Amino acid sequence: MQEISLSHVYLGLVAMGIALGLVSLAGKPSLKPTKFQAFWEGYVRFVRSMVLENIGHEGLRYVPLIASIGLFVFFSNLLGMVPGLEAPTANVNTNLAMALVVFLLYNIEGFRLHGIGYLKHFMGPNPYLAPVFFVIEIISHLARPITLTLRLFANMKGGALLLVVLVGLVVQNPFTMAVSPVFLLFIIAIKFLAVFIQSYIFMILSVVYLAGAVAHEEH
């Protein structure tokens, strides 16, 4: 695991501050929302529909958490596009903290809603093979925070390194200087797309894990 870097902690706080500041600027809902307010209302509706499709109406309680995770991951990823800064999500510790929050939450919610019956989720469909399924499911669930952590870390860290290498090649090669602006814009566009995609993946996986924990046995 990486050593805890104060720069990642500070940048994580910056990402949180940006998210909170922009949401606060939106103000209270109004009958005639501004474009800025409409944008944030659209984001909330997007998260709400994601939760409804995967969990149902009982999952609406998780909308604030999923929306907050999405904003933090997005703005953390976005900071990595600023020259000289590294995304907080390019640090294992930041991602592991978020993954553990999701892991603990969905298991706590599973036991809260189903009691000891939540363990049936780990037993599989065949009672004779329940011990085998139980071991496999436990290992699978323990691996979830690790995969959540490493997926985001690898993509943001690898993307940052690739961006540095490509930009360096363009700048140092005189034959590519003529097309370098177009090439750089292409790289930035790809990187910006990755910022969106990785934020969405972390959100949807969190929702899927919650859905599996709170689902009723007949579902």
Side-chain angles (χ1 to χ4, degrees):
M1 184 179 296
Q2 293 178 316
E3 295 182 359
I4 297 178
S5 172
L6 288 179
S7 63
H8 285 84
V9 176
Y10 294 148
L11 288 174
L13 293 174
V14 170
M16 292 173 59
I18 293 173
L20 289 173
L22 290 176
V23 171
S24 299
L25 287 175
K28 297 181 180 180
S30 62
L31 295 177
K32 294 183 178 180
T34 64
K35 292 182 179 180
F36 188 68
Q37 289 176 318
F39 171 80
W40 287 111
E41 289 176 5
Y43 173 69
V44 173
R45 285 196 298 270
F46 167 74
V47 178
R48 191 174 185 273
S49 64
M50 181 192 300
V51 171
L52 287 173
E53 289 174 5
N54 290 276
I55 303 177
H57 283 85
E58 63 270 22
L60 291 178
R61 66 171 68 235
Y62 310 120
V63 169
L65 172 68
I66 302 301
S68 300
I69 287 176
L71 289 178
F72 177 75
V73 174
F74 174 77
F75 286 112
S76 294
N77 294 348
L78 200 60
L79 286 175
M81 297 185 64
V82 179
L85 299 183
E86 188 174 22
T89 44
N91 185 282
V92 170
N93 299 283
T94 303
N95 303 340
L96 182 60
M98 292 189 294
L100 287 176
V101 168
V102 175
F103 175 77
L104 292 174
L105 176 67
Y106 82 73
N107 281 294
I108 290 172
E109 286 295 280
F111 280 109
R112 183 183 69 83
L113 294 173
H114 305 290
I116 196 66
Y118 175 59
L119 294 177
K120 293 181 180 179
H121 288 72
F122 300 82
M123 299 298 186
N126 192 323
Y128 299 103
L129 297 176
V132 177
F133 276 104
F134 184 79
V135 174
I136 295 174
E137 286 294 326
I138 289 295
I139 295 174
S140 173
H141 280 256
L142 290 176
R144 286 179 175 181
I146 298 175
T147 56
L148 267 179
T149 298
L150 296 182
R151 179 185 290 106
L152 182 57
F153 164 75
N155 280 280
M156 299 317 300
K157 189 72 171 182
L161 293 175
L162 181 62
L163 182 61
V164 171
V165 171
L166 291 176
V167 170
L169 289 174
V170 170
V171 172
Q172 295 177 10
N173 192 336
F175 296 102
T176 60
M177 289 300 292
V179 296
S180 60
V182 177
F183 187 65
L184 288 176
L185 286 175
F186 175 75
I187 295 174
I188 292 173
I190 295 297
K191 178 67 175 176
F192 194 68
L193 181 62
V195 167
F196 275 102
I197 292 175
Q198 293 307 315
S199 303
Y200 174 77
I201 289 175
F202 204 100
M203 292 170 67
I204 191 63
L205 287 178
S206 300
V207 172
V208 169
Y209 294 159
L210 278 165
V214 304
H216 295 291
E217 186 66 22
E218 61 269 20
H219 293 168

